[in-house]
Amino acid sequence: MASPGCSQRFHLSVLSLFFTCFLAFLSSFPFTTEAALKRYQFDIVVKNVSRLCHAKPIVTVNGRYPGPTIYAREGDHVVINVTNHAQYNMSIHWHGLKQFRNGWADGPAYITQCPIQSGNSYTYDFNITGQRGTLWWHAHILWLRATVYGALVILPSKGASFPFPQPAQEAELILGEWWNSDVEEIVKQGNKLGLPPRMSDAHTINGKPGPLFPCSEKYTYAIEVQWGKTYLLRIINAALNDELFFAIAGHDMTVVEIDATYIKPFTTGSLLIAPGQTTNVLVRADRSPGRYFMATQPFNDAPIPVDNKTATAILQYKGIPTTITPLLPFLPAPNDSAFADAYNAKLRSLNSGNVPLEVDRHLFYTIGLGSNPCQSCLNGTRLAASLNNISFIMPKVGLLQAHYFNLSGVFRLDFPDRPPTAFNYTGAPLTANLGTLLGTRLSRLAFNSTVELVLQDTNLLTVESHPFHLHGYNFFVVGRGIGNFDPANDPAKFNLVDPPERNTVGVPTGGWTAIRFRADNPGVWFMHCHLELHTMWGLKMAFVVENGNGPEESILPPPKDLPPC
């Protein structure tokens, strides 16, 4: 397995570089160090896995569920060859990596590449520049990320350190979902009926639901800790459709990082994490030695059904017998909106000098659920989701290829900056005229322009929270609120001093979120709801960011092994 090492991107003499690498070799860091080129082989294979008294074949990377963790350092060059041995087409997204000028390595199928067909390979080749912290990777086609996912840990560059005391040890905790039946078959059945697919049968922590579920005593993840030491937990929400609370019985957590950006530390008993987001916390093992449950369950303040069961893992003090029953933590009520709002208000960037203060382009996108005619569906209709009343239709070739090679007829550049009709977005539920427009429509952004995007939830069918992920960028979350966004008064309340910097942000139920970013990464970049259900229904779009001046501000040429369609 590859592991962190010294950076080949340092501008040093040959002798100095050799000396730095030699020191790295002697380092006692938890991982063995090597040269800054990190190589991994990902074999996509089907493996039989048993959970909740049910065995089934699942798609995996290297036969592991979750898949292997990628370790690298800031500045490293990473090469990951993916060979697809499964019956499904495959693509892998390196969630949160900016992939500067290199959308070819981003991974969403039919956006930046055609998928890797069965029996074929593709090499994701990228540099990690200006980023460190916890990110993750996952399949970005169909619902295959239900089992194809893993952590991506970027350590600080050699000589750099965390802006908090060095922990004694680290662990990744990936929160996920499990279905007893084949996920793709469940989705197909739901689409035939025009209804949502059946919800998951369990949540998981590192692929294991914990002993509160049947047949799951041995399917429980555990961390052993030593009294008096501090541990760094890298928490990832890989669930397909649920925002999640997380807590550790008897222990507070100090939140120090979100989406691979440092924040001003604060202490909390529980945290909230949306699909696609990551959160790093410090935990001090200073309580009475024993066994303590780490637990996760959904946050849902909308009138929709979710899998509300509690998944658990165990924090185990060294020397304590495993026969002792762990204590359960206190978790907020499933619909505790007040906790969610208060928690999000505490997220403040540690360093945020790059917040755009002037805005070149103001965008306002409404988020809606809808219903379109479907002759083959149970009720004659199929549920849809839209931005500015447009349900996105996936193309049959990669959008980045179409843009780079100037292929006509693949997409249009007329995605609207605002909804076609203004209305009381979060007023009484609207259940008439729910049809959406269909199209592969993109929005063009000038290179280096500053963008403000307000994402507004609506009460079309129902209000609901939505975690939105923007590929290729981090953005600053400058404002959020409940109800309708007020362009006359709300911008005056924006936090332009220390807003959190993220790649995935939650739009509150019946509310809005405002983000700002500078469009300095040329390419075609996907933006979508990270609830797989809504993405499937069309809650997605893409930005075409134009090239700047010269080759250093332009899209790199495509690799020779880019998969064909």
Side-chain angles (χ1 to χ4, degrees), residues 294-318:
M294 301 181 284
T296 185
Q297 67 182 26
F299 163 60
N300 175 41
D301 58 352
I304 55 170
V306 295
D307 169 13
N308 62 0
K309 304 178 204 70
T310 303
T312 54
I314 296 173
L315 188 79
Q316 163 97 29
Y317 277 73
K318 191 173 184 179

Side-chain angles (χ1 to χ4, degrees), residues 126-150:
F126 53 85
N127 294 316
I128 298 175
T129 305
Q131 291 184 272
R132 75 283 153 286
T134 304
L135 296 173
W136 64 300
W137 57 265
H138 59 82
H140 212 302
I141 185 168
L142 306 173
W143 282 41
L144 293 176
R145 74 177 178 91
T147 56
V148 179
Y149 60 81

Side-chain angles (χ1 to χ4, degrees), residues 261-264 347-352 476 497-501:
T261 60
Y262 296 130
I263 64 168
K264 293 173 179 173
L347 301 174
R348 305 283 177 135
S349 284
L350 189 61
N351 304 298
S352 53
F476 293 98
V497 177
D498 59 356
E501 186 179 351

Side-chain angles (χ1 to χ4, degrees), residues 223-244:
I223 300 172
E224 186 177 78
V225 298
Q226 193 166 333
W227 194 92
K229 292 191 174 180
T230 299
Y231 296 82
L232 178 67
L233 303 183
R234 301 177 180 269
I235 305 167
I236 299 164
N237 187 350
L240 274 76
N241 293 308
D242 290 333
E243 290 186 79
L244 295 167

Side-chain angles (χ1 to χ4, degrees), residues 240-258:
L240 274 76
N241 293 308
D242 290 333
E243 290 186 79
L244 295 167
F245 291 122
F246 177 86
I248 306 172
H251 294 72
D252 287 332
M253 299 172 286
T254 301
V255 183
V256 294
E257 178 194 300
I258 54 172

Side-chain angles (χ1 to χ4, degrees), residues 46 55-59 87-88 143-144 146 178-189 197-198 201:
V46 174
K56 68 170 185 176
I58 64 170
V59 182
Q87 72 270 36
Y88 299 104
W143 282 41
L144 293 176
W178 171 265
W179 280 261
N180 286 331
S181 301
D182 183 278
V183 176
E184 293 306 321
E185 289 303 316
I186 292 171
V187 172
K188 286 178 188 174
Q189 184 180 23
R198 184 164 50 81
D201 295 291

Side-chain angles (χ1 to χ4, degrees), residues 69-73 133-135 151-155 170 172 234:
T69 298
I70 298 292
Y71 293 106
R73 284 193 185 278
T134 304
L135 296 173
L152 171 55
V153 174
I154 308 169
L155 297 163
E170 303 179 8
E172 298 98 41
R234 301 177 180 269

Side-chain angles (χ1 to χ4, degrees), residues 74 137 290 327 353 356 399 409 414 460 465:
E74 181 180 349
W137 57 265
L327 299 172
L399 293 176
D414 62 350
L460 291 163
S465 63

